[in-house]
Each structure stands twice: as C-alpha cells, then as structure tokens.
Amino acid sequence: MYGVSPDGSELIERDAATFLAGVQARSPSPELACHDQIISIDTCLSRCAVAKVQVALPSPAGEDVLYTDFLVLLKLDGAWRVISKIYTSVPLSQRWFTESLPFDYSRMVSDPIAGVLDYYKGGRLSQPEIMAESFHERARLCFSDSDEKLVKWSQAEFLERVKSRAVTADVASAIQFDKILRVDKAGPDCACIKLMIGYPPNLYTDVLSMLRIAGKWWIIAKSSDHQAY
C-alpha cells in the first residue's frame, strides 16, 4: 500500500501485515457504509485488473474521511488478489477531490503522462537510467505468470532486465500497438494509467500506479498481463 505524506513530501509505504493490523485496530463504523462504492473495474486481459473504489472511515482527528483507492488485482491460483494499492483522501463532507484553481487543463493529465513517456523511451532504448527518472526506487513490479503464480521484482531487478533487452525504438512491429489507453486520477497527487506496449512476440497491457511526491510524478507500482501478437 502506497500513499503520500500529508505535506506531500514523502512516500508512505505499508506491507499487508501492517495494513491489516491497522484495519483490526479501527473502531467499527457501519454508519459510514452508505458512502462506500465501487466506481470502476477495468480488466487487462485475463490475469490483471484495476478497481477504483471509495470507502468512508472515521478519523481520530474528528472529521470522517473519504478514501479513494486504486486496487490492482492479479489472478493467482484461480483467485483474484489485491496486489497493490494507492490511495488519496478528502474530508467526507467534500465528497470528491478538486483540482487547484485556476484550472490548468493542459497539466491535469499531461503531468503524470510525462513519467509514462520516460517509461516508453527507456524501454525502447534499453536504457534503464531513463526509466529510473520516473520509476521510484521503492517501486515494485508484480504479475501473475502462466501458472498463475506471483512474480515480484524490485525496481532494481526490473531495470536490470530492461538493460538486457534488444533496442526496439526503430522496430515497427514493436511500436505499432504502443498506446496510452486510460488516465484516471483519484486526487491531484494520485493517478492510475493503463497502457499497451509491444515487445515481440508479446503485447503487454500494463497498469502503472502513480503518485506525485514533492511535486514530481513517480511510478510507484506496475502490474501487467500479455498476449502473443
């Protein structure tokens, strides 16, 4: 689980055990369940999906809080499991996040996409140092393999594999399907991007979980599925 500190300067990271211990320590709040909702579920082929959800919870500080989460799920041993989560929150009375005024429409979507372009460029040139400009050092890459077993790589392990790839920047069969399919924001500092990228003989559909930390957008988690083409 990943989030941003209240002052926006640091990445918050908790493993499953720490998160679940926090859930167990909460006081019951059934009166807030009416605010909970599944906003969307988007599948990426057969073994990867992302859900956007909202859940209302009481706050020790007083005012109830509405969280908006992006939950990335993988199909593992025949069952769907949440493998990563990024989140943002607003006071429950606000109901939804708002962008800063005045609106800069050109930057609302383009700012997180800048990190995705580093991802494309670094991969195509087999230059992990370019990808590292936007792939956070504490990021994780998780996917379900052909046997529906979890594979988990650190940022360093993933970038080492990028280094060993063939350069595909000028290979038409590799780049012909490259496409950003969806940009979805849950808050001014929280976004999820779905894209396609080809490395013959496979075409990958990726989900990139992104957070803005100290003013810069970072890829915090990545999951994917692929098909032959």
Side-chain angles (χ1 to χ4, degrees), residues 107-173:
R107 298 189 64 181
M108 282 184 195
V109 172
S110 64
D111 276 5
I113 285 178
V116 177
L117 298 182
D118 286 339
Y119 173 75
Y120 271 115
K121 183 179 179 181
R124 288 277 168 245
L125 295 174
S126 300
Q127 294 181 9
E129 63 273 16
I130 295 175
M131 197 175 286
E133 291 293 321
S134 297
F135 215 107
H136 197 278
E137 64 181 2
R138 286 157 61 187
R140 296 290 183 271
L141 182 150
C142 300
F143 62 93
S144 174
D145 68 12
S146 57
D147 296 319
E148 294 188 356
K149 302 300 182 183
L150 175 64
V151 179
K152 181 175 68 174
W153 294 335
S154 67
Q155 183 246 40
E157 290 171 324
F158 172 58
L159 295 185
E160 189 63 28
R161 285 166 170 80
V162 171
K163 188 189 304 183
S164 65
R165 291 175 181 164
V167 175
T168 55
D170 297 321
V171 180
S173 61

Short mmCIF file of all heavy atoms in Angstrom, two decimals, residues 107-173:
data_model
loop_
_atom_site.label_atom_id
_atom_site.label_comp_id
_atom_site.label_asym_id
_atom_site.label_seq_id
_atom_site.Cartn_x
_atom_site.Cartn_y
_atom_site.Cartn_z
N ARG A 107 -2.18 20.53 -17.91
CA ARG A 107 -1.30 19.82 -17.00
C ARG A 107 -2.01 18.75 -16.17
O ARG A 107 -1.36 17.89 -15.61
CB ARG A 107 -0.61 20.81 -16.05
CG ARG A 107 0.27 21.82 -16.77
CD ARG A 107 1.09 22.62 -15.78
NE ARG A 107 2.02 21.76 -15.05
CZ ARG A 107 2.83 22.22 -14.11
NH1 ARG A 107 2.84 23.51 -13.79
NH2 ARG A 107 3.66 21.40 -13.48
N MET A 108 -3.33 18.80 -16.08
CA MET A 108 -4.05 17.85 -15.25
C MET A 108 -3.74 16.41 -15.64
O MET A 108 -3.55 15.53 -14.80
CB MET A 108 -5.56 18.08 -15.36
CG MET A 108 -6.06 19.24 -14.55
SD MET A 108 -7.86 19.31 -14.69
CE MET A 108 -8.16 20.95 -14.06
N VAL A 109 -3.69 16.16 -16.96
CA VAL A 109 -3.43 14.82 -17.46
C VAL A 109 -1.98 14.67 -17.91
O VAL A 109 -1.36 13.63 -17.73
CB VAL A 109 -4.39 14.48 -18.61
CG1 VAL A 109 -4.01 13.17 -19.27
CG2 VAL A 109 -5.83 14.41 -18.09
N SER A 110 -1.41 15.73 -18.49
CA SER A 110 -0.08 15.62 -19.09
C SER A 110 1.03 15.43 -18.06
O SER A 110 2.04 14.78 -18.36
CB SER A 110 0.23 16.85 -19.94
OG SER A 110 0.29 18.03 -19.15
N ASP A 111 0.87 15.94 -16.85
CA ASP A 111 1.94 15.79 -15.86
C ASP A 111 2.23 14.33 -15.53
O ASP A 111 3.39 13.91 -15.60
CB ASP A 111 1.58 16.57 -14.59
CG ASP A 111 1.97 18.05 -14.70
OD1 ASP A 111 2.41 18.45 -15.79
OD2 ASP A 111 1.82 18.77 -13.71
N PRO A 112 1.24 13.49 -15.16
CA PRO A 112 1.57 12.08 -14.93
C PRO A 112 2.02 11.36 -16.19
O PRO A 112 2.84 10.44 -16.13
CB PRO A 112 0.28 11.49 -14.36
CG PRO A 112 -0.79 12.45 -14.70
CD PRO A 112 -0.15 13.80 -14.78
N ILE A 113 1.53 11.78 -17.36
CA ILE A 113 1.91 11.13 -18.60
C ILE A 113 3.39 11.33 -18.90
O ILE A 113 4.04 10.48 -19.52
CB ILE A 113 1.04 11.62 -19.78
CG1 ILE A 113 -0.35 10.97 -19.68
CG2 ILE A 113 1.66 11.30 -21.12
CD1 ILE A 113 -1.31 11.41 -20.74
N ALA A 114 3.99 12.43 -18.44
CA ALA A 114 5.42 12.66 -18.67
C ALA A 114 6.25 11.50 -18.14
O ALA A 114 7.23 11.07 -18.77
CB ALA A 114 5.84 13.97 -18.01
N GLY A 115 5.86 10.96 -16.98
CA GLY A 115 6.57 9.81 -16.44
C GLY A 115 6.38 8.57 -17.29
O GLY A 115 7.29 7.73 -17.40
N VAL A 116 5.21 8.43 -17.90
CA VAL A 116 4.95 7.28 -18.77
C VAL A 116 5.80 7.36 -20.03
O VAL A 116 6.28 6.35 -20.54
CB VAL A 116 3.45 7.21 -19.12
CG1 VAL A 116 3.17 6.06 -20.07
CG2 VAL A 116 2.62 7.06 -17.85
N LEU A 117 6.03 8.56 -20.54
CA LEU A 117 6.88 8.72 -21.71
C LEU A 117 8.32 8.31 -21.41
O LEU A 117 9.00 7.72 -22.26
CB LEU A 117 6.81 10.16 -22.22
CG LEU A 117 5.42 10.63 -22.67
CD1 LEU A 117 5.48 12.06 -23.18
CD2 LEU A 117 4.83 9.70 -23.72
N ASP A 118 8.81 8.60 -20.19
CA ASP A 118 10.12 8.10 -19.79
C ASP A 118 10.13 6.57 -19.77
O ASP A 118 11.11 5.92 -20.16
CB ASP A 118 10.49 8.60 -18.39
CG ASP A 118 10.89 10.06 -18.36
OD1 ASP A 118 11.27 10.59 -19.42
OD2 ASP A 118 10.83 10.67 -17.27
N TYR A 119 9.02 5.99 -19.34
CA TYR A 119 8.88 4.54 -19.29
C TYR A 119 8.97 3.95 -20.69
O TYR A 119 9.71 2.99 -20.94
CB TYR A 119 7.54 4.21 -18.62
CG TYR A 119 7.15 2.75 -18.63
CD1 TYR A 119 7.76 1.83 -17.78
CD2 TYR A 119 6.15 2.30 -19.48
CE1 TYR A 119 7.38 0.50 -17.78
CE2 TYR A 119 5.76 0.97 -19.49
CZ TYR A 119 6.38 0.08 -18.64
OH TYR A 119 6.01 -1.24 -18.64
N TYR A 120 8.22 4.52 -21.63
CA TYR A 120 8.28 4.06 -23.02
C TYR A 120 9.69 4.24 -23.59
O TYR A 120 10.27 3.32 -24.16
CB TYR A 120 7.29 4.85 -23.88
CG TYR A 120 5.90 4.28 -23.96
CD1 TYR A 120 4.81 4.98 -23.45
CD2 TYR A 120 5.65 3.07 -24.58
CE1 TYR A 120 3.52 4.48 -23.54
CE2 TYR A 120 4.35 2.55 -24.67
CZ TYR A 120 3.30 3.27 -24.15
OH TYR A 120 2.03 2.76 -24.24
N LYS A 121 10.23 5.43 -23.46
CA LYS A 121 11.51 5.75 -24.08
C LYS A 121 12.63 4.88 -23.52
O LYS A 121 13.44 4.32 -24.28
CB LYS A 121 11.84 7.23 -23.86
CG LYS A 121 13.13 7.69 -24.53
CD LYS A 121 13.37 9.18 -24.28
CE LYS A 121 14.67 9.64 -24.92
NZ LYS A 121 14.91 11.09 -24.67
N GLY A 122 12.70 4.76 -22.19
CA GLY A 122 13.74 3.95 -21.59
C GLY A 122 13.65 2.50 -22.00
O GLY A 122 14.68 1.84 -22.25
N GLY A 123 12.42 1.98 -22.10
CA GLY A 123 12.25 0.59 -22.52
C GLY A 123 12.64 0.38 -23.97
O GLY A 123 13.31 -0.60 -24.31
N ARG A 124 12.24 1.29 -24.83
CA ARG A 124 12.52 1.15 -26.25
C ARG A 124 14.03 1.24 -26.55
O ARG A 124 14.54 0.58 -27.44
CB ARG A 124 11.77 2.23 -27.04
CG ARG A 124 10.28 1.99 -27.10
CD ARG A 124 9.95 1.02 -28.21
NE ARG A 124 8.56 0.56 -28.12
CZ ARG A 124 8.23 -0.69 -27.86
NH1 ARG A 124 9.16 -1.59 -27.66
NH2 ARG A 124 6.97 -1.05 -27.83
N LEU A 125 14.73 2.08 -25.79
CA LEU A 125 16.16 2.26 -25.99
C LEU A 125 17.00 1.32 -25.14
O LEU A 125 18.23 1.35 -25.21
CB LEU A 125 16.55 3.71 -25.69
CG LEU A 125 15.97 4.78 -26.61
CD1 LEU A 125 16.32 6.17 -26.10
CD2 LEU A 125 16.44 4.60 -28.05
N SER A 126 16.32 0.50 -24.32
CA SER A 126 17.02 -0.39 -23.37
C SER A 126 17.97 0.40 -22.48
O SER A 126 19.10 -0.04 -22.20
CB SER A 126 17.76 -1.50 -24.13
OG SER A 126 16.86 -2.26 -24.89
N GLN A 127 17.51 1.55 -22.04
CA GLN A 127 18.30 2.41 -21.18
C GLN A 127 17.56 2.61 -19.85
O GLN A 127 16.72 3.50 -19.71
CB GLN A 127 18.56 3.77 -21.85
CG GLN A 127 19.43 3.65 -23.09
CD GLN A 127 19.70 4.99 -23.74
OE1 GLN A 127 19.39 6.04 -23.20
NE2 GLN A 127 20.31 4.94 -24.92
N PRO A 128 17.84 1.77 -18.86
CA PRO A 128 17.10 1.84 -17.59
C PRO A 128 17.29 3.16 -16.86
O PRO A 128 16.44 3.55 -16.07
CB PRO A 128 17.67 0.68 -16.78
CG PRO A 128 18.98 0.36 -17.42
CD PRO A 128 18.82 0.68 -18.86
N GLU A 129 18.39 3.87 -17.12
CA GLU A 129 18.60 5.15 -16.45
C GLU A 129 17.54 6.17 -16.85
O GLU A 129 17.19 7.05 -16.06
CB GLU A 129 20.01 5.70 -16.74
CG GLU A 129 20.30 6.02 -18.19
CD GLU A 129 20.82 4.84 -19.00
OE1 GLU A 129 20.67 3.69 -18.52
OE2 GLU A 129 21.36 5.07 -20.09
N ILE A 130 17.00 6.06 -18.07
CA ILE A 130 15.90 6.94 -18.48
C ILE A 130 14.63 6.55 -17.73
O ILE A 130 13.91 7.41 -17.19
CB ILE A 130 15.68 6.88 -20.00
CG1 ILE A 130 16.90 7.42 -20.74
CG2 ILE A 130 14.42 7.66 -20.39
CD1 ILE A 130 16.81 7.29 -22.24
N MET A 131 14.35 5.26 -17.68
CA MET A 131 13.16 4.79 -16.98
C MET A 131 13.22 5.14 -15.50
O MET A 131 12.20 5.46 -14.88
CB MET A 131 13.02 3.28 -17.17
CG MET A 131 11.66 2.72 -16.86
SD MET A 131 11.54 0.96 -17.26
CE MET A 131 11.45 1.01 -19.04
N ALA A 132 14.42 5.12 -14.92
CA ALA A 132 14.58 5.42 -13.50
C ALA A 132 14.26 6.86 -13.16
O ALA A 132 14.07 7.20 -11.99
CB ALA A 132 16.01 5.09 -13.05
N GLU A 133 14.19 7.73 -14.17
CA GLU A 133 13.82 9.12 -13.92
C GLU A 133 12.40 9.23 -13.36
O GLU A 133 12.06 10.19 -12.68
CB GLU A 133 13.91 9.94 -15.21
CG GLU A 133 15.32 10.16 -15.71
CD GLU A 133 16.12 11.04 -14.78
OE1 GLU A 133 15.54 12.01 -14.25
OE2 GLU A 133 17.32 10.77 -14.57
N SER A 134 11.55 8.22 -13.65
CA SER A 134 10.16 8.27 -13.20
C SER A 134 9.72 6.99 -12.49
O SER A 134 8.58 6.92 -12.02
CB SER A 134 9.23 8.53 -14.39
OG SER A 134 9.49 9.78 -14.97
N PHE A 135 10.58 5.98 -12.40
CA PHE A 135 10.25 4.72 -11.75
C PHE A 135 10.85 4.75 -10.35
O PHE A 135 12.05 4.62 -10.17
CB PHE A 135 10.82 3.55 -12.55
CG PHE A 135 9.97 2.32 -12.54
CD1 PHE A 135 9.26 1.93 -13.67
CD2 PHE A 135 9.88 1.54 -11.40
CE1 PHE A 135 8.50 0.78 -13.66
CE2 PHE A 135 9.11 0.40 -11.37
CZ PHE A 135 8.41 0.02 -12.52
N HIS A 136 10.03 4.96 -9.34
CA HIS A 136 10.51 5.20 -7.97
C HIS A 136 11.38 4.05 -7.48
O HIS A 136 11.13 2.88 -7.77
CB HIS A 136 9.31 5.38 -7.03
CG HIS A 136 9.65 6.01 -5.73
ND1 HIS A 136 10.17 5.30 -4.68
CD2 HIS A 136 9.57 7.31 -5.31
CE1 HIS A 136 10.37 6.10 -3.65
NE2 HIS A 136 10.02 7.34 -4.01
N GLU A 137 12.42 4.37 -6.72
CA GLU A 137 13.37 3.36 -6.25
C GLU A 137 12.73 2.32 -5.34
O GLU A 137 13.26 1.21 -5.19
CB GLU A 137 14.54 4.03 -5.53
CG GLU A 137 14.15 4.77 -4.26
CD GLU A 137 15.34 5.43 -3.58
OE1 GLU A 137 16.46 5.34 -4.14
OE2 GLU A 137 15.16 6.04 -2.51
N ARG A 138 11.60 2.64 -4.73
CA ARG A 138 10.91 1.68 -3.87
C ARG A 138 9.71 1.03 -4.56
O ARG A 138 8.92 0.33 -3.92
CB ARG A 138 10.47 2.37 -2.58
CG ARG A 138 11.65 2.63 -1.63
CD ARG A 138 11.39 3.74 -0.66
NE ARG A 138 10.26 3.48 0.23
CZ ARG A 138 9.76 4.39 1.08
NH1 ARG A 138 10.33 5.60 1.16
NH2 ARG A 138 8.74 4.11 1.86
N ALA A 139 9.61 1.24 -5.86
CA ALA A 139 8.50 0.66 -6.62
C ALA A 139 8.66 -0.86 -6.72
O ALA A 139 9.76 -1.40 -6.59
CB ALA A 139 8.45 1.26 -8.02
N ARG A 140 7.54 -1.52 -6.95
CA ARG A 140 7.53 -2.97 -7.16
C ARG A 140 6.79 -3.28 -8.45
O ARG A 140 5.83 -2.61 -8.82
CB ARG A 140 6.82 -3.68 -6.00
CG ARG A 140 7.52 -3.54 -4.66
CD ARG A 140 8.83 -4.31 -4.62
NE ARG A 140 9.47 -4.23 -3.32
CZ ARG A 140 10.31 -3.28 -2.95
NH1 ARG A 140 10.61 -2.30 -3.80
NH2 ARG A 140 10.86 -3.29 -1.76
N LEU A 141 7.25 -4.34 -9.13
CA LEU A 141 6.57 -4.87 -10.30
C LEU A 141 6.07 -6.26 -9.96
O LEU A 141 6.86 -7.12 -9.56
CB LEU A 141 7.52 -4.91 -11.49
CG LEU A 141 6.93 -5.40 -12.82
CD1 LEU A 141 7.66 -4.73 -13.99
CD2 LEU A 141 7.03 -6.93 -12.96
N CYS A 142 4.76 -6.48 -10.08
CA CYS A 142 4.16 -7.77 -9.74
C CYS A 142 3.28 -8.24 -10.88
O CYS A 142 2.52 -7.45 -11.45
CB CYS A 142 3.33 -7.66 -8.47
SG CYS A 142 4.24 -7.14 -7.00
N PHE A 143 3.38 -9.53 -11.22
CA PHE A 143 2.49 -10.07 -12.24
C PHE A 143 2.24 -11.55 -11.96
O PHE A 143 2.96 -12.20 -11.18
CB PHE A 143 3.04 -9.86 -13.65
CG PHE A 143 4.36 -10.53 -13.93
CD1 PHE A 143 4.41 -11.79 -14.50
CD2 PHE A 143 5.56 -9.89 -13.66
CE1 PHE A 143 5.61 -12.41 -14.78
CE2 PHE A 143 6.77 -10.50 -13.94
CZ PHE A 143 6.80 -11.77 -14.49
N SER A 144 1.20 -12.06 -12.60
CA SER A 144 0.83 -13.47 -12.50
C SER A 144 1.40 -14.19 -13.72
O SER A 144 1.10 -13.80 -14.86
CB SER A 144 -0.69 -13.60 -12.45
OG SER A 144 -1.10 -14.95 -12.48
N ASP A 145 2.21 -15.23 -13.51
CA ASP A 145 2.82 -15.91 -14.65
C ASP A 145 1.85 -16.90 -15.29
O ASP A 145 0.67 -16.96 -14.91
CB ASP A 145 4.14 -16.58 -14.24
CG ASP A 145 3.96 -17.76 -13.28
OD1 ASP A 145 2.82 -18.23 -13.08
OD2 ASP A 145 4.98 -18.22 -12.72
N SER A 146 2.33 -17.68 -16.24
CA SER A 146 1.44 -18.57 -16.99
C SER A 146 0.81 -19.65 -16.11
O SER A 146 -0.21 -20.24 -16.47
CB SER A 146 2.20 -19.22 -18.14
OG SER A 146 3.33 -19.93 -17.66
N ASP A 147 1.41 -19.92 -14.94
CA ASP A 147 0.84 -20.88 -13.98
C ASP A 147 0.05 -20.19 -12.87
O ASP A 147 -0.29 -20.83 -11.86
CB ASP A 147 1.96 -21.71 -13.35
CG ASP A 147 2.69 -22.58 -14.36
OD1 ASP A 147 2.01 -23.15 -15.24
OD2 ASP A 147 3.93 -22.66 -14.31
N GLU A 148 -0.21 -18.89 -13.05
CA GLU A 148 -0.92 -18.08 -12.07
C GLU A 148 -0.19 -18.04 -10.73
O GLU A 148 -0.81 -18.04 -9.67
CB GLU A 148 -2.37 -18.54 -11.89
CG GLU A 148 -3.22 -18.33 -13.14
CD GLU A 148 -4.70 -18.60 -12.93
OE1 GLU A 148 -5.08 -19.03 -11.83
OE2 GLU A 148 -5.47 -18.36 -13.88
N LYS A 149 1.14 -17.98 -10.79
CA LYS A 149 1.97 -17.80 -9.62
C LYS A 149 2.49 -16.36 -9.60
O LYS A 149 2.77 -15.77 -10.65
CB LYS A 149 3.15 -18.77 -9.61
CG LYS A 149 2.74 -20.24 -9.67
CD LYS A 149 1.87 -20.64 -8.48
CE LYS A 149 1.50 -22.11 -8.53
NZ LYS A 149 0.59 -22.51 -7.43
N LEU A 150 2.62 -15.82 -8.40
CA LEU A 150 3.06 -14.43 -8.26
C LEU A 150 4.55 -14.31 -8.56
O LEU A 150 5.37 -15.06 -8.02
CB LEU A 150 2.77 -13.93 -6.85
CG LEU A 150 3.28 -12.52 -6.52
CD1 LEU A 150 2.58 -11.48 -7.38
CD2 LEU A 150 3.08 -12.21 -5.04
N VAL A 151 4.87 -13.34 -9.41
CA VAL A 151 6.25 -12.94 -9.66
C VAL A 151 6.39 -11.50 -9.18
O VAL A 151 5.58 -10.64 -9.55
CB VAL A 151 6.63 -13.04 -11.15
CG1 VAL A 151 8.07 -12.59 -11.37
CG2 VAL A 151 6.42 -14.47 -11.64
N LYS A 152 7.40 -11.24 -8.36
CA LYS A 152 7.59 -9.90 -7.80
C LYS A 152 9.03 -9.47 -8.00
O LYS A 152 9.95 -10.18 -7.60
CB LYS A 152 7.22 -9.89 -6.31
CG LYS A 152 7.36 -8.52 -5.64
CD LYS A 152 6.88 -8.55 -4.20
CE LYS A 152 7.77 -9.38 -3.32
NZ LYS A 152 7.39 -9.28 -1.89
N TRP A 153 9.21 -8.30 -8.62
CA TRP A 153 10.54 -7.74 -8.83
C TRP A 153 10.63 -6.38 -8.15
O TRP A 153 9.66 -5.61 -8.14
CB TRP A 153 10.84 -7.55 -10.31
CG TRP A 153 10.93 -8.82 -11.10
CD1 TRP A 153 11.24 -10.06 -10.63
CD2 TRP A 153 10.71 -8.96 -12.51
NE1 TRP A 153 11.23 -10.97 -11.66
CE2 TRP A 153 10.92 -10.33 -12.82
CE3 TRP A 153 10.37 -8.09 -13.53
CZ2 TRP A 153 10.79 -10.83 -14.12
CZ3 TRP A 153 10.25 -8.58 -14.82
CH2 TRP A 153 10.45 -9.94 -15.11
N SER A 154 11.79 -6.08 -7.63
CA SER A 154 12.06 -4.73 -7.15
C SER A 154 12.34 -3.83 -8.34
O SER A 154 12.50 -4.30 -9.48
CB SER A 154 13.28 -4.74 -6.22
OG SER A 154 14.46 -5.06 -6.97
N GLN A 155 12.42 -2.53 -8.09
CA GLN A 155 12.77 -1.60 -9.16
C GLN A 155 14.11 -1.97 -9.78
O GLN A 155 14.28 -2.01 -11.00
CB GLN A 155 12.81 -0.16 -8.62
CG GLN A 155 13.09 0.91 -9.67
CD GLN A 155 14.43 1.58 -9.43
OE1 GLN A 155 15.40 0.92 -9.07
NE2 GLN A 155 14.47 2.90 -9.61
N ALA A 156 15.10 -2.28 -8.94
CA ALA A 156 16.44 -2.61 -9.45
C ALA A 156 16.42 -3.88 -10.28
O ALA A 156 17.08 -3.95 -11.34
CB ALA A 156 17.41 -2.75 -8.28
N GLU A 157 15.67 -4.89 -9.85
CA GLU A 157 15.58 -6.14 -10.61
C GLU A 157 14.92 -5.92 -11.96
O GLU A 157 15.35 -6.47 -12.98
CB GLU A 157 14.82 -7.19 -9.81
CG GLU A 157 15.58 -7.70 -8.60
CD GLU A 157 14.72 -8.56 -7.69
OE1 GLU A 157 13.51 -8.27 -7.54
OE2 GLU A 157 15.27 -9.52 -7.12
N PHE A 158 13.87 -5.11 -11.98
CA PHE A 158 13.18 -4.83 -13.23
C PHE A 158 14.08 -4.05 -14.18
O PHE A 158 14.20 -4.38 -15.37
CB PHE A 158 11.90 -4.04 -12.95
CG PHE A 158 11.21 -3.54 -14.19
CD1 PHE A 158 10.81 -4.41 -15.18
CD2 PHE A 158 10.97 -2.18 -14.37
CE1 PHE A 158 10.17 -3.96 -16.33
CE2 PHE A 158 10.34 -1.72 -15.50
CZ PHE A 158 9.94 -2.60 -16.49
N LEU A 159 14.76 -3.01 -13.68
CA LEU A 159 15.60 -2.20 -14.55
C LEU A 159 16.78 -3.00 -15.09
O LEU A 159 17.26 -2.74 -16.20
CB LEU A 159 16.08 -0.95 -13.81
CG LEU A 159 14.98 0.05 -13.41
CD1 LEU A 159 15.60 1.29 -12.79
CD2 LEU A 159 14.10 0.42 -14.58
N GLU A 160 17.27 -3.97 -14.34
CA GLU A 160 18.35 -4.83 -14.84
C GLU A 160 17.87 -5.62 -16.05
O GLU A 160 18.63 -5.84 -17.01
CB GLU A 160 18.82 -5.76 -13.74
CG GLU A 160 20.08 -6.54 -14.07
CD GLU A 160 21.29 -5.65 -14.28
OE1 GLU A 160 21.35 -4.55 -13.70
OE2 GLU A 160 22.19 -6.08 -15.05
N ARG A 161 16.62 -6.04 -16.04
CA ARG A 161 16.06 -6.76 -17.18
C ARG A 161 15.88 -5.84 -18.38
O ARG A 161 16.03 -6.27 -19.52
CB ARG A 161 14.74 -7.42 -16.78
CG ARG A 161 14.95 -8.65 -15.91
CD ARG A 161 13.67 -9.10 -15.24
NE ARG A 161 13.83 -10.40 -14.61
CZ ARG A 161 14.40 -10.61 -13.43
NH1 ARG A 161 14.86 -9.58 -12.73
NH2 ARG A 161 14.52 -11.83 -12.94
N VAL A 162 15.53 -4.59 -18.13
CA VAL A 162 15.41 -3.62 -19.21
C VAL A 162 16.76 -3.49 -19.93
O VAL A 162 16.82 -3.42 -21.17
CB VAL A 162 14.95 -2.25 -18.67
CG1 VAL A 162 15.04 -1.18 -19.76
CG2 VAL A 162 13.53 -2.35 -18.13
N LYS A 163 17.83 -3.46 -19.18
CA LYS A 163 19.17 -3.30 -19.75
C LYS A 163 19.51 -4.41 -20.73
O LYS A 163 20.23 -4.20 -21.71
CB LYS A 163 20.19 -3.26 -18.62
CG LYS A 163 21.60 -2.90 -19.06
CD LYS A 163 22.61 -3.11 -17.92
CE LYS A 163 22.24 -2.32 -16.69
NZ LYS A 163 23.27 -2.47 -15.60
N SER A 164 19.00 -5.62 -20.48
CA SER A 164 19.35 -6.77 -21.31
C SER A 164 18.47 -6.91 -22.55
O SER A 164 18.72 -7.79 -23.38
CB SER A 164 19.26 -8.05 -20.48
OG SER A 164 17.92 -8.30 -20.06
N ARG A 165 17.45 -6.09 -22.69
CA ARG A 165 16.56 -6.17 -23.86
C ARG A 165 17.24 -5.63 -25.11
O ARG A 165 18.10 -4.76 -25.05
CB ARG A 165 15.29 -5.35 -23.63
CG ARG A 165 14.34 -5.89 -22.59
CD ARG A 165 13.20 -4.90 -22.41
NE ARG A 165 12.24 -5.34 -21.42
CZ ARG A 165 11.34 -4.52 -20.87
NH1 ARG A 165 11.30 -3.25 -21.21
NH2 ARG A 165 10.49 -4.98 -19.97
N ALA A 166 16.77 -6.12 -26.25
CA ALA A 166 17.21 -5.55 -27.52
C ALA A 166 16.56 -4.18 -27.70
O ALA A 166 15.43 -3.94 -27.25
CB ALA A 166 16.80 -6.47 -28.67
N VAL A 167 17.27 -3.27 -28.34
CA VAL A 167 16.73 -1.94 -28.64
C VAL A 167 15.62 -2.10 -29.67
O VAL A 167 15.80 -2.76 -30.71
CB VAL A 167 17.83 -1.00 -29.16
CG1 VAL A 167 17.24 0.33 -29.60
CG2 VAL A 167 18.88 -0.79 -28.08
N THR A 168 14.46 -1.50 -29.39
CA THR A 168 13.30 -1.65 -30.28
C THR A 168 12.73 -0.30 -30.73
O THR A 168 11.62 -0.24 -31.25
CB THR A 168 12.19 -2.45 -29.58
OG1 THR A 168 11.87 -1.82 -28.32
CG2 THR A 168 12.60 -3.89 -29.33
N ALA A 169 13.49 0.77 -30.55
CA ALA A 169 12.97 2.10 -30.87
C ALA A 169 12.62 2.26 -32.34
O ALA A 169 11.75 3.06 -32.71
CB ALA A 169 13.99 3.17 -30.47
N ASP A 170 13.29 1.49 -33.22
CA ASP A 170 13.04 1.61 -34.66
C ASP A 170 12.42 0.34 -35.24
O ASP A 170 12.49 0.11 -36.45
CB ASP A 170 14.35 1.92 -35.40
CG ASP A 170 14.93 3.26 -34.99
OD1 ASP A 170 14.14 4.21 -34.82
OD2 ASP A 170 16.16 3.34 -34.83
N VAL A 171 11.83 -0.47 -34.40
CA VAL A 171 11.22 -1.72 -34.84
C VAL A 171 9.71 -1.53 -34.95
O VAL A 171 9.01 -1.43 -33.93
CB VAL A 171 11.56 -2.88 -33.88
CG1 VAL A 171 10.91 -4.18 -34.36
CG2 VAL A 171 13.07 -3.05 -33.76
N ALA A 172 9.20 -1.47 -36.17
CA ALA A 172 7.79 -1.16 -36.39
C ALA A 172 6.87 -2.16 -35.72
O ALA A 172 5.83 -1.80 -35.16
CB ALA A 172 7.49 -1.09 -37.89
N SER A 173 7.24 -3.45 -35.75
CA SER A 173 6.37 -4.47 -35.16
C SER A 173 6.31 -4.34 -33.64
O SER A 173 5.36 -4.83 -33.01
CB SER A 173 6.86 -5.86 -35.53
OG SER A 173 8.18 -6.09 -35.04
#
